[in-house]
Amino acid sequence: LRHRHRPHAVLRVRAHPLSPPNRLSSVKEARDAPGFFAERLHKAMSGAGTTDSAVIRILVTRSEVDLRDIKKRYQQLYEEDLTERIKGE
C-alpha cells in the first residue's frame, strides 16, 4: 500500500491537562522555573481532586535545590506551605 500525503488531514493529539499550552508557557518556565512549577503544583492540587500523576511527575523530576526554590516560590505566591499542602492531599 502506498501512503498518500493528505494536507487537509489534521492530527489531533490530546494534551495532558497540565502540560504547557503554548510557547509562552515555555518562556515563563525559562524565566521563573520555580514559579512555573509552583503554579503547576497549585493547579494539580486545586479543585475537586488532586492530579496525583502531575504532582508526582514534578516532584520526582526536580533536583533537591529546585524543590527548595519551588517551595519558597509556592509560599510567596499562595501564602501556604507546599509540604503541608501536599500532606493534606
Side-chain angles (χ1 to χ4, degrees):
L1 293 172
R2 292 176 57 176
H3 291 81
R4 293 185 181 180
H5 179 66
R6 298 183 336 187
H8 61 278
V10 176
L11 175 64
R12 293 180 187 254
V13 177
R14 184 179 171 139
H16 188 276
L18 295 174
S19 64
N22 55 38
R23 291 181 194 206
L24 186 57
S25 292
S26 297
V27 170
K28 186 174 186 178
E29 178 182 358
R31 290 186 179 187
D32 180 19
F36 176 82
F37 289 111
E39 287 179 19
R40 292 285 174 212
L41 286 166
H42 185 74
K43 286 180 184 179
M45 294 184 287
S46 296
T50 301
T51 309
D52 292 337
S53 61
V55 173
I56 292 167
R57 185 179 326 107
I58 292 169
L59 295 178
V60 300
T61 60
R62 304 290 89 193
S63 71
E64 193 173 327
V65 173
D66 289 345
L67 290 173
R68 185 191 66 221
D69 294 342
I70 291 167
K71 185 177 175 182
K72 277 187 203 175
R73 191 73 175 113
Y74 191 93
Q75 178 71 38
Q76 291 170 346
L77 291 171
Y78 304 106
E79 297 180 357
E80 180 178 19
D81 183 64
L82 178 59
T83 304
E84 295 302 316
R85 176 67 190 264
I86 291 171
K87 285 180 184 178
E89 294 294 322

PDB file of all heavy atoms in Angstrom, residues 57-71:
ATOM      1  N   ARG A  57       5.061  13.674  39.068  1.00  0.00           N
ATOM      2  CA  ARG A  57       5.994  13.947  37.967  1.00  0.00           C
ATOM      3  C   ARG A  57       6.859  15.160  38.276  1.00  0.00           C
ATOM      4  O   ARG A  57       8.071  15.147  38.065  1.00  0.00           O
ATOM      5  CB  ARG A  57       5.232  14.164  36.663  1.00  0.00           C
ATOM      6  CG  ARG A  57       6.154  14.328  35.468  1.00  0.00           C
ATOM      7  CD  ARG A  57       5.441  14.535  34.139  1.00  0.00           C
ATOM      8  NE  ARG A  57       4.184  13.849  33.998  1.00  0.00           N
ATOM      9  CZ  ARG A  57       2.980  14.441  34.032  1.00  0.00           C
ATOM     10  NH1 ARG A  57       2.878  15.747  34.215  1.00  0.00           N
ATOM     11  NH2 ARG A  57       1.878  13.752  33.874  1.00  0.00           N
ATOM     12  N   ILE A  58       6.251  16.211  38.792  1.00  0.00           N
ATOM     13  CA  ILE A  58       7.015  17.417  39.113  1.00  0.00           C
ATOM     14  C   ILE A  58       8.008  17.137  40.245  1.00  0.00           C
ATOM     15  O   ILE A  58       9.172  17.512  40.169  1.00  0.00           O
ATOM     16  CB  ILE A  58       6.078  18.583  39.483  1.00  0.00           C
ATOM     17  CG1 ILE A  58       5.296  19.034  38.243  1.00  0.00           C
ATOM     18  CG2 ILE A  58       6.870  19.753  40.072  1.00  0.00           C
ATOM     19  CD1 ILE A  58       4.168  19.992  38.537  1.00  0.00           C
ATOM     20  N   LEU A  59       7.554  16.447  41.276  1.00  0.00           N
ATOM     21  CA  LEU A  59       8.414  16.215  42.442  1.00  0.00           C
ATOM     22  C   LEU A  59       9.588  15.297  42.149  1.00  0.00           C
ATOM     23  O   LEU A  59      10.693  15.531  42.649  1.00  0.00           O
ATOM     24  CB  LEU A  59       7.590  15.657  43.601  1.00  0.00           C
ATOM     25  CG  LEU A  59       6.528  16.604  44.169  1.00  0.00           C
ATOM     26  CD1 LEU A  59       5.754  15.913  45.282  1.00  0.00           C
ATOM     27  CD2 LEU A  59       7.140  17.901  44.658  1.00  0.00           C
ATOM     28  N   VAL A  60       9.395  14.282  41.341  1.00  0.00           N
ATOM     29  CA  VAL A  60      10.495  13.339  41.100  1.00  0.00           C
ATOM     30  C   VAL A  60      11.458  13.803  40.009  1.00  0.00           C
ATOM     31  O   VAL A  60      12.568  13.290  39.922  1.00  0.00           O
ATOM     32  CB  VAL A  60       9.998  11.901  40.791  1.00  0.00           C
ATOM     33  CG1 VAL A  60       9.185  11.363  41.938  1.00  0.00           C
ATOM     34  CG2 VAL A  60       9.240  11.837  39.488  1.00  0.00           C
ATOM     35  N   THR A  61      11.055  14.766  39.202  1.00  0.00           N
ATOM     36  CA  THR A  61      11.940  15.210  38.127  1.00  0.00           C
ATOM     37  C   THR A  61      12.750  16.459  38.482  1.00  0.00           C
ATOM     38  O   THR A  61      13.572  16.903  37.697  1.00  0.00           O
ATOM     39  CB  THR A  61      11.158  15.486  36.826  1.00  0.00           C
ATOM     40  OG1 THR A  61      10.179  16.504  37.073  1.00  0.00           O
ATOM     41  CG2 THR A  61      10.492  14.229  36.312  1.00  0.00           C
ATOM     42  N   ARG A  62      12.531  17.019  39.637  1.00  0.00           N
ATOM     43  CA  ARG A  62      13.273  18.210  40.064  1.00  0.00           C
ATOM     44  C   ARG A  62      14.368  17.817  41.048  1.00  0.00           C
ATOM     45  O   ARG A  62      14.202  16.890  41.840  1.00  0.00           O
ATOM     46  CB  ARG A  62      12.352  19.218  40.762  1.00  0.00           C
ATOM     47  CG  ARG A  62      11.146  19.680  39.971  1.00  0.00           C
ATOM     48  CD  ARG A  62      11.511  20.563  38.815  1.00  0.00           C
ATOM     49  NE  ARG A  62      11.754  19.734  37.649  1.00  0.00           N
ATOM     50  CZ  ARG A  62      12.323  20.137  36.538  1.00  0.00           C
ATOM     51  NH1 ARG A  62      12.753  21.345  36.396  1.00  0.00           N
ATOM     52  NH2 ARG A  62      12.495  19.328  35.524  1.00  0.00           N
ATOM     53  N   SER A  63      15.440  18.558  41.023  1.00  0.00           N
ATOM     54  CA  SER A  63      16.529  18.310  41.973  1.00  0.00           C
ATOM     55  C   SER A  63      16.131  18.833  43.351  1.00  0.00           C
ATOM     56  O   SER A  63      15.154  19.571  43.502  1.00  0.00           O
ATOM     57  CB  SER A  63      17.805  19.004  41.507  1.00  0.00           C
ATOM     58  OG  SER A  63      17.676  20.409  41.662  1.00  0.00           O
ATOM     59  N   GLU A  64      16.933  18.481  44.341  1.00  0.00           N
ATOM     60  CA  GLU A  64      16.670  18.936  45.711  1.00  0.00           C
ATOM     61  C   GLU A  64      16.722  20.464  45.792  1.00  0.00           C
ATOM     62  O   GLU A  64      15.898  21.089  46.468  1.00  0.00           O
ATOM     63  CB  GLU A  64      17.705  18.310  46.637  1.00  0.00           C
ATOM     64  CG  GLU A  64      17.378  18.437  48.099  1.00  0.00           C
ATOM     65  CD  GLU A  64      18.351  17.661  48.965  1.00  0.00           C
ATOM     66  OE1 GLU A  64      18.856  16.605  48.539  1.00  0.00           O
ATOM     67  OE2 GLU A  64      18.605  18.139  50.086  1.00  0.00           O
ATOM     68  N   VAL A  65      17.662  21.061  45.095  1.00  0.00           N
ATOM     69  CA  VAL A  65      17.784  22.525  45.078  1.00  0.00           C
ATOM     70  C   VAL A  65      16.568  23.150  44.400  1.00  0.00           C
ATOM     71  O   VAL A  65      16.000  24.125  44.896  1.00  0.00           O
ATOM     72  CB  VAL A  65      19.090  22.960  44.370  1.00  0.00           C
ATOM     73  CG1 VAL A  65      19.142  24.460  44.195  1.00  0.00           C
ATOM     74  CG2 VAL A  65      20.296  22.463  45.144  1.00  0.00           C
ATOM     75  N   ASP A  66      16.143  22.561  43.270  1.00  0.00           N
ATOM     76  CA  ASP A  66      14.952  23.060  42.571  1.00  0.00           C
ATOM     77  C   ASP A  66      13.736  23.002  43.488  1.00  0.00           C
ATOM     78  O   ASP A  66      12.942  23.945  43.539  1.00  0.00           O
ATOM     79  CB  ASP A  66      14.656  22.240  41.314  1.00  0.00           C
ATOM     80  CG  ASP A  66      15.646  22.469  40.198  1.00  0.00           C
ATOM     81  OD1 ASP A  66      16.404  23.459  40.256  1.00  0.00           O
ATOM     82  OD2 ASP A  66      15.656  21.651  39.263  1.00  0.00           O
ATOM     83  N   LEU A  67      13.569  21.888  44.192  1.00  0.00           N
ATOM     84  CA  LEU A  67      12.415  21.723  45.074  1.00  0.00           C
ATOM     85  C   LEU A  67      12.415  22.761  46.190  1.00  0.00           C
ATOM     86  O   LEU A  67      11.355  23.282  46.557  1.00  0.00           O
ATOM     87  CB  LEU A  67      12.370  20.308  45.647  1.00  0.00           C
ATOM     88  CG  LEU A  67      12.030  19.214  44.639  1.00  0.00           C
ATOM     89  CD1 LEU A  67      12.180  17.844  45.281  1.00  0.00           C
ATOM     90  CD2 LEU A  67      10.625  19.393  44.076  1.00  0.00           C
ATOM     91  N   ARG A  68      13.586  23.070  46.710  1.00  0.00           N
ATOM     92  CA  ARG A  68      13.676  24.108  47.745  1.00  0.00           C
ATOM     93  C   ARG A  68      13.195  25.452  47.193  1.00  0.00           C
ATOM     94  O   ARG A  68      12.414  26.162  47.825  1.00  0.00           O
ATOM     95  CB  ARG A  68      15.122  24.225  48.245  1.00  0.00           C
ATOM     96  CG  ARG A  68      15.268  25.213  49.407  1.00  0.00           C
ATOM     97  CD  ARG A  68      16.710  25.524  49.725  1.00  0.00           C
ATOM     98  NE  ARG A  68      17.281  26.239  48.575  1.00  0.00           N
ATOM     99  CZ  ARG A  68      18.499  26.024  48.078  1.00  0.00           C
ATOM    100  NH1 ARG A  68      19.278  25.121  48.617  1.00  0.00           N
ATOM    101  NH2 ARG A  68      18.932  26.707  47.054  1.00  0.00           N
ATOM    102  N   ASP A  69      13.639  25.776  45.966  1.00  0.00           N
ATOM    103  CA  ASP A  69      13.236  27.035  45.331  1.00  0.00           C
ATOM    104  C   ASP A  69      11.745  27.042  44.997  1.00  0.00           C
ATOM    105  O   ASP A  69      11.076  28.068  45.145  1.00  0.00           O
ATOM    106  CB  ASP A  69      14.061  27.280  44.071  1.00  0.00           C
ATOM    107  CG  ASP A  69      15.536  27.518  44.372  1.00  0.00           C
ATOM    108  OD1 ASP A  69      15.870  27.838  45.540  1.00  0.00           O
ATOM    109  OD2 ASP A  69      16.351  27.367  43.447  1.00  0.00           O
ATOM    110  N   ILE A  70      11.228  25.909  44.555  1.00  0.00           N
ATOM    111  CA  ILE A  70       9.797  25.802  44.241  1.00  0.00           C
ATOM    112  C   ILE A  70       8.981  25.990  45.519  1.00  0.00           C
ATOM    113  O   ILE A  70       7.958  26.689  45.517  1.00  0.00           O
ATOM    114  CB  ILE A  70       9.491  24.440  43.580  1.00  0.00           C
ATOM    115  CG1 ILE A  70      10.119  24.379  42.183  1.00  0.00           C
ATOM    116  CG2 ILE A  70       7.984  24.196  43.508  1.00  0.00           C
ATOM    117  CD1 ILE A  70      10.150  22.986  41.564  1.00  0.00           C
ATOM    118  N   LYS A  71       9.440  25.393  46.602  1.00  0.00           N
ATOM    119  CA  LYS A  71       8.738  25.517  47.883  1.00  0.00           C
ATOM    120  C   LYS A  71       8.693  26.981  48.337  1.00  0.00           C
ATOM    121  O   LYS A  71       7.654  27.480  48.779  1.00  0.00           O
ATOM    122  CB  LYS A  71       9.428  24.650  48.932  1.00  0.00           C
ATOM    123  CG  LYS A  71       8.716  24.617  50.245  1.00  0.00           C
ATOM    124  CD  LYS A  71       9.405  23.678  51.222  1.00  0.00           C
ATOM    125  CE  LYS A  71       8.739  23.769  52.580  1.00  0.00           C
ATOM    126  NZ  LYS A  71       9.346  22.942  53.585  1.00  0.00           N
TER     127      LYS A  71
END
